[in-house]
Amino acid sequence: MGKLVIVGTMAFDAIETPFGKTDKILGGAATFIGLAASHFNVDTAAVSVVGGDFPQKYLDLLSDKNIDLSGVEIVKDGKTFFWSGRYHNDMNSRDTLATELNTLADFDPKVPDAYKDAEIVMLGNLHPLIQSSVLDQMTQKPKLSILDTMNFWMDSTLEDLLNVIKRVDVITINDEEARQLTGEYSLVLAARKIHAMGPKYVVLKKGEHGALLFHDEHVFYAPALPLEEVFDPTGAGDTFAGGFAGYLAKTGDLSFENMKNAIIYGSTLASFCVEKFGTERMVNLSSIEVHQRLMQFKQLTKFDIELTESQRA
């Protein structure tokens, strides 16, 4: 299997955490997804929009990671999407300080012709109509379509969101969003309801508490690697999605068993993302570091257990 299409924002972020703050730095869902997927050397294209203020060095950075940017529209007299946020001390909650849609307000995605037959499509968190538009442009049904969304779209465009959810194979959302979407507190019941909406697979992201994968009656849980420091959680969910999609595109195996491996790869890459502000850690991440951390994950989850005589009976 080969081609992967990534749809999402390429943006500026300004972030404040208990560990410090930044001015405008590189961010956006497509950026984090692409950087993570680049570790698998698959034929990847990004579909996004930026303004004339988006530095060439950022475009070069992504190109150097073998990400095709022919689907990235540059609006010369426009400004790039900007988000600013402040994280609380627990690093799990944050306040949005500013959101400026800028060029994203009129974004009309254009999938490059060479990627309209891509086997895997990763729909980053955007307006559901934009996500649907990308699926409409594919010349054949992708072997796997993955959708990420958030509570904002549930509040403002629920009908459009439900329409695109019907069309995808995998949905990735966090536990709070799953509960809002379904009205169920139990994540098992929430996943079952989301299955009924269309997706064959439901991935529930739980931040520092790992991730859950649901398929029919099967459930897989991957813990998050305990870290000494979480510097900046921005982009961790997108990095997870990029690792998940990239691994599946590389292996071509879309079975539930292989999706377990994809979840572990996604969690591994996300654990690096949070160690520095923005994309800084992901830009220079080596394959050796990824392999070493995968081995840490393996040790974290591996155990042998001896049953007692009464348990065997």
Side-chain angles (χ1 to χ4, degrees), residues 10-308:
M10 290 167 59
F12 294 130
D13 291 339
I15 302 158
E16 184 176 345
T17 79
F19 298 100
K21 61 190 299 186
T22 71
D23 293 322
K24 285 186 176 181
I25 58 174
L26 176 62
T31 305
F32 284 105
I33 294 168
L35 289 173
S38 70
H39 283 271
F40 303 95
N41 297 316
V42 294
D43 190 0
T44 303
V47 178
S48 191
V49 62
V50 296
D53 58 344
F54 198 74
Q56 184 63 41
K57 67 177 182 179
Y58 289 163
L59 296 170
D60 293 341
L61 164 67
L62 297 172
S63 293
D64 289 345
K65 299 290 185 181
N66 294 318
I67 300 170
D68 185 290
L69 300 183
S70 58
V72 177
E73 180 186 1
I74 301 175
V75 182
K76 292 295 186 183
D77 58 350
K79 288 187 175 182
T80 301
F81 175 75
F82 170 69
W83 176 83
S84 175
R86 179 190 298 120
Y87 286 89
H88 298 181
N89 287 334
D90 64 3
M91 301 292 275
N92 287 321
S93 52
R94 68 189 185 192
D95 298 320
T96 293
L97 304 179
T99 301
E100 299 172 11
L101 293 178
N102 298 328
T103 55
L104 191 64
D106 300 311
F107 179 37
D108 182 17
K110 297 287 191 300
V111 179
D113 288 340
Y115 290 88
K116 288 183 177 179
D117 60 349
E119 292 91 346
I120 295 186
V121 175
M122 176 69 231
L123 301 170
N125 175 31
L126 283 170
H127 194 294
L129 291 179
I130 293 176
Q131 295 173 322
S132 290
S133 170
V134 170
L135 293 178
D136 291 340
Q137 293 177 54
M138 306 306 291
T139 54
Q140 60 189 36
K141 189 178 188 299
K143 293 184 178 178
L144 194 76
S145 51
I146 308 164
L147 178 141
D148 189 30
T149 192
M150 66 181 298
N151 48 14
F152 177 80
W153 307 117
M154 297 173 198
D155 293 334
S156 59
T157 61
L158 182 59
E159 184 177 352
D160 293 330
L161 177 60
L162 292 174
N163 285 335
V164 73
I165 286 175
K166 289 177 188 174
R167 304 177 62 184
V168 300
D169 302 298
V170 184
I171 184 171
T172 68
I173 54 176
N174 67 32
D175 44 4
E176 175 192 349
E177 292 156 353
R179 289 174 172 132
Q180 177 176 339
L181 184 61
T182 63
E184 296 286 353
Y185 183 80
S186 161
L187 294 179
V188 174
L189 292 177
R192 194 172 296 155
K193 277 196 173 181
I194 296 171
H195 276 313
M197 295 174 186
K200 303 182 190 74
Y201 301 91
V202 178
V203 178
L204 298 185
K205 300 175 292 185
K206 294 172 62 63
E208 64 178 331
H209 303 298
L212 286 158
L213 170 66
F214 294 88
H215 173 58
D216 294 332
E217 298 304 314
H218 303 289
V219 184
F220 174 69
Y221 170 69
L225 191 71
L227 299 171
E228 290 185 13
E229 286 186 340
V230 176
F231 209 79
D232 173 20
T234 310
D238 294 316
T239 300
F240 170 88
F244 179 81
Y247 179 81
L248 293 174
K250 177 68 172 181
T251 61
D253 180 353
L254 305 181
S255 67
F256 179 75
E257 289 303 311
N258 198 48
M259 282 198 185
K260 293 179 183 179
N261 295 328
I263 291 281
I264 295 296
Y265 263 96
S267 297
T268 299
L269 290 167
S271 73
F272 286 107
C273 178
V274 302
E275 290 182 339
K276 291 188 177 181
F277 274 120
T279 61
E280 184 180 352
R281 187 69 175 93
M282 299 304 297
V283 167
N284 298 311
L285 181 61
S286 72
S287 58
I288 293 174
E289 290 175 304
V290 175
H291 177 76
Q292 289 173 339
R293 189 155 292 184
L294 278 170
M295 293 303 99
Q296 287 181 262
F297 259 102
K298 187 174 181 181
Q299 290 302 315
L300 180 69
T301 56
K302 181 182 178 182
F303 65 90
D304 295 313
I305 189 166
E306 287 291 330
L307 297 178
T308 65

